[in-house]
Amino acid sequence: MSNFKEQLKQARISVDQNLQKWLPLPDNLSARVVEAMRYATIGGGKAFRAFLILTTAKMFDLPEANAINIATAMEMIHAYSLIHDDLPSMDNDTMRRGKPTVHIQFDEATAILAGDALLTNAFEVLADETTHPDPMIRTKLIKMLAYLAGKDGMVGGQMIDLIGEKQTLNLEQIEMLQGKKTGALLMFASTASAVATKAPEEQLNALKTYAKCIGLMFQITDDILDVVGDSATVGKTLGKDKDETKSTFVSVLGLEAARQKAEELGVQADDALSIFGEKAITLKEAAHFILERNY
Ligand code: GRG
């Protein structure tokens, strides 16, 4: 297994251990919502965003004890977005990560509450003293994640995505929408460790360029998988973009040009990391993984 694949697997294991700590099953009447939160987070998905945080933590000497909480908060917000995205009022999906979506496994009201609580409790994790000894750093991380997950980031992108189901979007609009919907959380994941260690501006900017590239690449490969992927491997229903006449990179560019665009972005992501030399090798492997991914 490559270094990248091992580290991705390790990120999943480490975050799961920390989620067990932050989401213990209570012995009371609210246990059902915690069950749904655990169902949506523990052992589910690639933990790619957590991996980015833990990898950049090593690059910037952020202690793993701090980074793991940032990674856990990140995966909680990611899981919330997937639960809500799958709801009948949004994408109306029944399968995610190879198992029934949260509203199917539990019920719609519980799914909404589980998403709400994951969003809220993520900020509890970030605000905790164990996340960073400096309260100013914790506040900075909280503000950054709130901004990137909210109206100017992921939620704003999701709104434009829903509008895009009713009207055709051009390439520029699709890039803007995906930069927010998919790119914003990847921006946080790529830069949080650098922010937490007060990295020099030049290094932070390099990571921001890398994040912008991988955000778009991630979405392009998602659009490609929707057309050519294997639903058992991807773990969800595919072919939905076409059915819903959604404007996507593939619908606007076609498969080949979309692939080529992803490859060009991969080169740009690589270039952005050149100032880190050998230290950025795992991040480069991560960009390559996005290009090749089949799940
Ligand atoms: C409902 C507020 C709200 C936002 C939803 C992220 C999102 C916005 C919707 C998800 C739709 C989607 C499939 C986007 C494509 C990119 C993406 C985020 C894929 C899922 O991320 P992965 O592949 O998932 O990292 P795993 O399961 O591996 O964690």
Side-chain angles (χ1 to χ4, degrees):
M1 213 189 307
S2 78
N3 199 28
F4 165 76
K5 280 269 168 76
E6 267 169 45
Q7 293 189 35
L8 189 62
K9 214 169 131 204
Q10 190 49 52
R12 179 74 272 162
I13 293 167
S14 304
V15 168
D16 283 349
Q17 279 168 357
N18 206 37
L19 282 164
Q20 295 282 5
K21 192 187 110 191
W22 282 98
L23 301 175
L25 201 55
D27 184 17
N28 61 34
L29 286 175
S30 60
R32 184 173 169 81
V33 75
V34 185
E35 254 177 67
M37 292 162 81
R38 291 170 60 92
Y39 178 84
T41 51
I42 297 171
K46 298 180 281 296
F48 185 71
R49 292 153 192 81
F51 153 86
L52 286 174
I53 290 167
L54 297 174
T55 300
T56 45
K58 285 186 200 130
M59 286 171 67
F60 292 95
D61 293 325
L62 176 69
E64 166 139 17
N66 301 146
I68 193 61
N69 269 4
I70 304 174
T72 300
M74 170 91 287
E75 289 294 325
M76 286 165 96
I77 297 228
H78 172 55
Y80 125 74
S81 77
L82 298 179
I83 299 174
H84 282 196
D85 186 62
D86 290 334
L87 287 171
S89 57
M90 297 232 196
D91 256 10
N92 196 17
D93 271 309
T94 55
M95 290 294 286
R96 162 81 60 188
R97 295 171 167 172
K99 59 184 190 177
T101 47
V102 178
H103 65 275
I104 297 290
Q105 182 72 12
F106 293 82
D107 57 75
E108 198 175 337
T110 305
I112 292 170
L113 289 178
D116 289 345
L118 284 168
L119 169 61
T120 318
N121 290 124
F123 290 103
E124 181 195 2
V125 176
L126 276 189
D128 196 79
E129 289 84 352
T130 58
T131 297
H132 201 281
D134 181 348
M136 288 308 290
I137 296 280
R138 299 201 297 271
T139 309
K140 212 167 176 184
L141 291 171
I142 290 167
K143 188 173 176 192
M144 189 168 128
L145 187 54
Y147 176 81
L148 289 169
K151 68 178 174 28
D152 299 301
M154 181 179 67
V155 168
Q158 178 76 349
M159 187 73 253
I160 307 170
D161 198 32
L162 293 175
I163 288 166
E165 286 173 15
K166 309 236 158 32
Q167 68 188 60
T168 308
L169 303 180
N170 62 32
L171 188 59
E172 197 185 324
Q173 289 169 319
I174 294 172
E175 281 195 16
M176 188 263 288
L177 131 68
Q178 300 303 358
K180 290 172 186 283
K181 190 184 93 172
T182 304
L185 292 197
L186 288 167
M187 177 62 73
F188 181 84
S190 304
T191 58
S193 296
V195 167
T197 49
K198 300 184 181 164
E201 199 69 15
E202 190 196 8
Q203 296 186 7
L204 188 58
N205 285 339
L207 288 174
K208 283 183 184 171
T209 305
Y210 170 80
K212 275 187 194 150
C213 295
I214 64 163
L216 288 176
M217 285 161 69
F218 207 90
Q219 186 59 47
I220 294 172
T221 51
D222 209 72
D223 292 349
I224 294 174
L225 283 174
D226 190 70
V227 180
V228 301
D230 168 44
S231 68
T233 312
V234 181
K236 63 178 186 179
T237 310
L238 299 174
K240 292 197 68 179
D241 294 344
K242 194 157 180 252
D243 293 349
E244 288 162 3
T245 58
K246 256 194 184 182
S247 309
T248 70
F249 284 107
V250 172
S251 75
V252 170
L253 293 172
L255 260 181
E256 258 330 293
R259 272 200 191 104
Q260 202 183 326
K261 188 172 172 64
E263 272 171 31
E264 284 162 15
L265 285 161
V267 174
Q268 286 171 34
D270 249 35
D271 288 349
L273 296 176
S274 59
I275 62 164
F276 298 111
E278 283 293 297
K279 270 189 165 183
I281 200 133
T282 314
L283 286 187
K284 287 188 179 183
E285 284 181 9
H288 190 73
F289 162 78
I290 298 175
L291 285 179
E292 304 275 295
R293 77 191 179 105
N294 62 353
Y295 69 109

